[in-house]
């Protein structure tokens, strides 16, 4: 038995960890519970050297790179390999039927490839939350119509996905609320004044998780948790007022579900993304990992706090966008993507991120009207408008 896999963003944090999980899974005896994983397609941005090492090890049929020059180099070196490039190439690669596509690229640019994979009937291991934030209704509706499974890789959503298996016969009726945990990021205890002077370097120093630049900054502003609230809404069909956030700095409880009888089921584990990645690949079975185990006696304690939404305003802005619905989450996401890029480039300060996102969400920029069920064009248009606003606000055309 074999399971074919494609990876969007194979040289990033989730991409490399996915290949490492596949290496581990394939080193175990093949069985009905542990199929052999065949990597059919890989895509990457700039890290061609690492991509070449991945091609040598996993022999994919298709790869996609961001630019034409890199594509030429690869075509010369690998005569039999199907080499694609650019956004069209990425969409085309995503459309090649595999059993599962791991969407491990960052940002809205994951949207079209994800939709294309759904059209081809490929199950999605979702590690690209921006896609669901901006166009959750469109993506979930199409996945349902095409009977495609969307399995979360995000550690919180993987936790909720597992906890929800305890609904018994009540189904969704027996779910009271979802409780997402947040590490609080590197500035959890900072005052508003202290936040004014933090740099990109400070923000990139996350206390518990090693991740890419964009998501690490999102963790520092707590926008990441806001995006995850919207992601959870779509994945699990819950209203935003039934999704709470609690700060849990140790990142041991990855999230919880409270049921209508008051029982709370939590999923615990060491903070290691390989666990949710492996579950997405092996579901509905569990793997036989020999990774480090959680030793509760070594932990000292698990603590919980209310999020400081007055200081970390991105989280409240995300709740506002979730409640308004329509294209507002796409506006929130587009503005945030641009603002984070400007922050990482040293063009704006840390507190400007929330300010710019709030500005983009104003009636004048967002249009104010939030019709339910926007189509793809409306989402892309709103995303573009939000990005324009952010760049114009700081004179970066
Ligand atoms: Mg997460």
């Amino acid at each position: 038995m074999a399971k074919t896999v494609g990876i969007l963003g194979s040289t990033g944090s989730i991409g490399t960890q996915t290949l490492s999980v596949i290496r581990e899974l394939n080193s175990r005896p093949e069985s009905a519970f542990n199929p052999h994983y065949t990597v059919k397609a890989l895509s990457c941005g700039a890290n061609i050297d690492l991509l070449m090492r991945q091609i040598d090890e996993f022999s994919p049929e298709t790869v996609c790179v961001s630019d034409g020059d890199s594509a030429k180099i690869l075509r010369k070196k690998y005569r039999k390999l199907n080499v694609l490039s650019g956004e069209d190439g990425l969409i085309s690669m995503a459309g090649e039927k595999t059993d599962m596509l791991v969407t491990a690229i960052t940002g809205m640019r994951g949207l079209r490839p994800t939709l294309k994979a759904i059209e081809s009937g490929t199950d999605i291991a979702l590690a690209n939350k921006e896609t669901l934030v901006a166009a959750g209704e469109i993506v979930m509706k199409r996945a349902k119509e095409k009977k495609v499974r969307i399995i979360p890789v995000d550690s919180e959503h993987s936790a909720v996905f597992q906890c929800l298996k305890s609904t018994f016969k009540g189904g969704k009726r027996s779910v009271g609320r979802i409780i997402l945990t947040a590490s609080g990021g590197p500035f959890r205890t900072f005052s508003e004044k202290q936040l004014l002077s933090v740099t990109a370097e400070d923000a990139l120093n996350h206390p518990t998780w090693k991740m890419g630049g964009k998501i690490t900054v999102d963790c520092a502003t707590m926008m990441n948790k806001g995006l995850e609230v919207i992601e959870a809404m779509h994945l699990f069909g819950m209203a935003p007022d039934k999704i709470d956030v609690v700060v849990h700095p140790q990142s041991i409880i990855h999230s919880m579900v409270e049921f209508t009888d008051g029982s709370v089921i939590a999923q615990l584990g060491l903070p290691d993304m390989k666990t949710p990645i492996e579950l997405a690949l092996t579901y509905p079975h569990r793997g036989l990992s020999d990774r480090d185990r959680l030793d509760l006696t070594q932990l000292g304690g698990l603590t919980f706090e209310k999020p400081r939404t007055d200081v970390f305003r991105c989280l409240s802005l995300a709740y506002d966008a979730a409640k308004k619905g329509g294209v507002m989450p796409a506006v929130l996401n587009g503005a945030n993507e641009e603002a984070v890029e400007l922050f990482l480039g040293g063009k704006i300060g840390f507190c400007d991120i929330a300010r710019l996102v709030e500005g983009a969400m104003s009636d004048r920029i967002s249009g104010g009207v939030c019709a339910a069920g926007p189509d793809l064009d409306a989402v892309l248009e709103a995303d573009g408008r939000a990005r324009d606003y952010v760049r114009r606000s700081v004179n970066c055309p």
Side-chain angles (χ1 to χ4, degrees):
M1 233 184 102
K3 194 165 177 176
T4 55
V5 181
I7 305 174
L8 298 182
S10 66
T11 57
S13 170
I14 297 292
T16 51
Q17 293 186 80
T18 301
L19 287 171
S20 148
V21 168
I22 287 177
R23 198 180 288 126
E24 273 175 44
L25 290 167
N26 282 350
S27 72
R28 297 178 186 282
E30 207 176 320
S31 71
F33 307 109
N34 189 42
H36 182 83
Y37 291 83
T38 305
V39 178
K40 276 189 82 173
L42 298 172
S43 89
C44 91
N47 199 344
I48 300 298
D49 291 338
L50 178 54
L51 180 68
M52 289 201 275
R53 291 204 294 280
Q54 294 177 343
I55 295 169
D56 293 337
E57 180 178 354
F58 292 95
S59 310
E61 290 170 15
T62 302
V63 298
C64 181
V65 289
S66 54
D67 64 289
D69 289 345
S70 307
K72 267 188 211 153
I73 298 171
L74 291 177
R75 280 192 197 106
K76 218 168 157 190
K77 184 160 184 215
Y78 303 96
R79 302 263 170 203
K80 287 187 182 153
L81 185 65
N82 179 25
V83 182
L84 305 169
S85 66
E87 202 196 334
D88 289 346
L90 198 63
I91 295 170
S92 158
M93 185 192 111
E96 287 184 19
K97 175 83 180 93
T98 50
D99 293 318
M100 174 160 272
L101 181 71
V102 183
T103 58
I105 57 176
T106 307
M108 259 287 277
R109 65 208 165 91
L111 175 57
R112 284 181 189 275
T114 304
L115 285 171
K116 185 74 179 182
I118 292 171
E119 289 309 312
S120 308
T122 296
D123 284 343
I124 306 289
L126 187 90
N128 171 244
K129 66 190 70 167
E130 292 90 345
T131 283
L132 274 199
V133 170
E137 285 165 24
I138 298 168
V139 172
M140 295 310 289
K141 181 167 175 267
R142 204 60 195 129
K144 198 173 171 195
E145 286 164 359
K146 298 293 288 185
K147 297 192 170 60
V148 158
R149 279 202 294 225
I150 300 201
I151 303 180
V153 171
D154 213 341
S155 58
E156 294 80 357
H157 303 76
S158 177
V160 171
F161 179 75
Q162 294 175 63
C163 296
L164 284 174
K165 300 289 171 201
S166 302
T167 55
F168 301 156
K169 284 194 165 175
K172 230 179 77 185
R173 270 183 297 114
S174 58
V175 179
R177 62 180 173 136
I178 286 173
I179 307 163
L180 298 178
T181 51
S183 72
F187 312 136
R188 181 172 60 87
T189 58
F190 277 36
S191 67
E192 256 173 292
K193 199 171 155 219
Q194 281 175 299
L195 285 178
L196 285 171
S197 56
V198 302
T199 63
E201 201 187 324
D202 301 330
L204 290 175
N205 196 8
H206 193 279
T208 44
W209 297 98
K210 266 257 114 343
M211 306 169 291
K214 198 265 177 179
I215 185 172
T216 309
V217 174
D218 283 346
C219 286
T221 60
M222 288 202 77
M223 179 59 96
N224 183 54
K225 213 45 57 180
L227 300 178
E228 289 183 353
V229 168
I230 303 175
E231 184 186 6
M233 263 171 63
H234 293 297
L235 278 172
F236 309 117
M238 294 289 281
D241 60 358
K242 295 260 167 115
I243 305 171
D244 287 345
V245 170
V246 61
V247 174
H248 165 48
Q250 298 80 19
S251 300
I252 295 296
I253 294 183
H254 299 306
S255 279
M256 300 166 254
V257 173
E258 184 187 273
F259 294 90
T260 45
D261 61 356
S263 275
V264 176
I265 304 276
Q267 187 258 342
L268 286 73
L270 291 171
D272 183 347
M273 283 308 295
K274 285 183 184 162
T275 308
I277 291 169
E278 183 183 79
L279 184 70
L281 290 168
T282 60
Y283 182 80
H285 301 291
R286 282 192 186 270
L288 291 163
S289 155
D290 51 14
R291 287 187 293 276
D292 289 348
R293 293 300 199 247
L294 177 64
D295 181 351
L296 289 168
T297 62
Q298 291 297 310
L299 282 176
L302 299 179
T303 59
F304 305 93
E305 302 159 12
K306 265 194 171 163
R308 294 159 64 212
T309 45
D310 53 330
V311 178
F312 296 96
R313 287 174 41 243
C314 286
L315 181 56
S316 333
L317 291 171
Y319 268 106
D320 289 347
K323 283 171 193 157
K324 285 195 174 127
V327 296
M328 201 56 98
V331 168
L332 170 99
N333 180 67
N336 181 59
E337 281 191 30
E338 283 305 316
V340 169
E341 202 183 310
L342 291 168
F343 172 66
L344 285 171
K347 300 247 175 17
I348 60 171
F350 184 76
C351 298
D352 293 326
I353 299 175
R355 183 179 60 78
L356 290 165
V357 171
E358 187 168 28
M361 286 170 67
S362 68
D363 286 355
R364 190 171 61 81
I365 306 300
S366 67
V369 186
C370 282
D375 62 14
L376 188 57
D377 286 343
V379 166
L380 294 173
E381 203 262 335
D383 170 75
R385 217 167 343 118
R387 288 170 193 269
D388 277 355
Y389 164 79
V390 170
R391 298 196 83 83
R392 267 190 292 109
S393 302
V394 292
N395 290 321
C396 281

